[in-house]
Amino acid sequence: MNLQMIGTGNAFAKKYFNNNALIEQDGFKLLIDCGITAPLALYELGIGMEELDAVLITHTHGDHVGGLEEYGFQMKFKHGRRPVLIVPESLVDPLWQNTLSGGMTQEGLDKLEDAFEVRPLRVGDVQELAPNLCVELVHTEHIAGKKSYSLILNRDVFYSADMTFDPELLTTLVRDRGVRRILHEVQLEGPGAVHTTLDELLSLPEEIQAITKLMHYADNRDRFVGRTGKMEFLEQGVVYPI
């Protein structure tokens, strides 16, 4: 399984684009989140939206879903098909009603299923997306009152969405469930009201830090190189075998 971050930045990043990831397994391409900058990020990497086999959404903030309108319209009007959209079941209605309907509603497009082939995901289920690629949805805290989910890929890679620090979850995943790689969002400065801070991640045992890569960072990331303990930053555009 290969991972390519088409963006590694937080919601306000301009240098690094939104934190969205391309997973490739045996030719199957899965985009995790499709934020505002995703169409441009894919374009700059030479990847057409029609090459994606599916998009999976973790929560409904713009840096994670803001590119879906263009994606849906491109696929409908340029390529004549509904793309596969994998969505936590609790987000199917809010994604359309609160986010996409204002820009996408027109004749023949009255609900999410008109624009996308929607495949709901339930928390705790391990769903096979393609041969040798499965995903499990994990509820993680982010904004009070708004559902957000992280992912376990192929049973041993944890991919965090935006989340507050949950050391008990991370420790359980590694020690009890055999997770061997953690791809975790990080807030480099300030208190972690809705995100996990670097200082919080630095409190993890070194053996967990050693398998953790950092993403969803601010444009001042370079100031923190060498200050992340055993952890390393994921780089935009680089293909990582995981």
Side-chain angles (χ1 to χ4, degrees):
M1 181 167 63
N2 288 330
L3 165 78
Q4 184 177 31
M5 302 301 298
I6 68 166
T8 53
N10 64 20
F12 306 134
K14 302 298 182 287
K15 182 177 179 180
Y16 295 112
F17 293 157
N18 298 150
N19 195 85
N20 303 161
L22 185 65
I23 298 291
E24 184 169 2
Q25 176 69 58
D26 297 337
F28 184 91
K29 291 183 172 65
L30 171 71
L31 184 66
I32 300 176
D33 289 325
C34 185
I36 296 164
T37 63
L40 177 59
L42 289 167
Y43 174 79
E44 291 197 351
L45 290 170
I47 301 169
M49 285 186 154
E50 73 281 0
E51 297 178 44
L52 303 176
D53 292 289
V55 173
L56 191 161
I57 298 304
T58 63
H59 63 293
T60 58
H61 282 153
D63 55 323
H64 296 263
V65 300
L68 284 178
E69 179 177 317
E70 179 176 344
Y71 179 49
F73 280 154
Q74 273 209 35
M75 297 306 297
K76 179 177 177 62
F77 295 116
K78 289 181 64 176
H79 304 287
R81 61 184 175 90
R82 290 183 306 148
V84 173
L85 183 63
I86 303 167
V87 189
E89 61 181 1
S90 68
L91 299 182
V92 172
D93 290 338
L95 178 59
W96 180 257
Q97 295 170 6
N98 301 336
T99 304
L100 296 178
S101 64
M104 296 192 76
T105 299
Q106 57 184 275
E107 185 177 355
L109 286 175
D110 297 311
K111 57 185 182 297
L112 191 65
E113 291 80 2
D114 291 334
F116 302 95
E117 181 183 325
V118 179
R119 298 184 184 175
L121 270 181
R122 292 189 299 180
V123 171
D125 286 355
V126 178
Q127 182 164 324
E128 184 174 341
L129 306 182
N132 302 313
L133 179 60
C134 64
V135 63
E136 178 183 343
L137 206 61
V138 180
H139 178 256
T140 45
E141 297 295 333
H142 177 34
I143 301 286
K146 292 179 73 73
K147 295 290 181 64
S148 184
Y149 301 92
S150 297
L151 310 170
I152 301 174
L153 300 166
N154 280 1
R155 295 182 172 85
D156 62 3
V157 177
F158 178 73
Y159 182 99
S160 91
D162 297 359
M163 61 180 283
T164 53
F165 189 44
D166 192 341
E168 182 177 353
L169 171 64
L170 297 175
T171 301
T172 298
L173 289 172
V174 173
R175 295 180 178 172
D176 297 341
R177 296 201 52 184
V179 163
R180 61 183 179 84
R181 183 72 61 89
I182 295 172
L183 313 173
H184 208 292
E185 66 121 24
V186 63
Q187 178 180 306
L188 297 174
E189 299 176 291
V194 297
H195 292 283
T196 299
T197 68
L198 176 59
D199 286 342
E200 288 171 327
L201 289 170
L202 286 169
S203 73
L204 291 169
E206 287 193 350
E207 65 266 25
I208 296 181
Q209 290 187 43
I211 61 170
T212 299
K213 302 286 189 182
L214 303 176
M215 59 186 186
H216 200 280
Y217 42 74
D219 280 342
N220 64 348
R221 184 208 73 162
D222 289 350
R223 288 174 43 199
F224 294 85
V225 172
R227 299 166 57 185
T228 59
K230 297 289 185 179
M231 301 174 288
E232 298 179 352
F233 290 111
L234 286 170
E235 302 288 346
Q236 182 178 351
V238 174
V239 177
Y240 297 89
I242 58 174

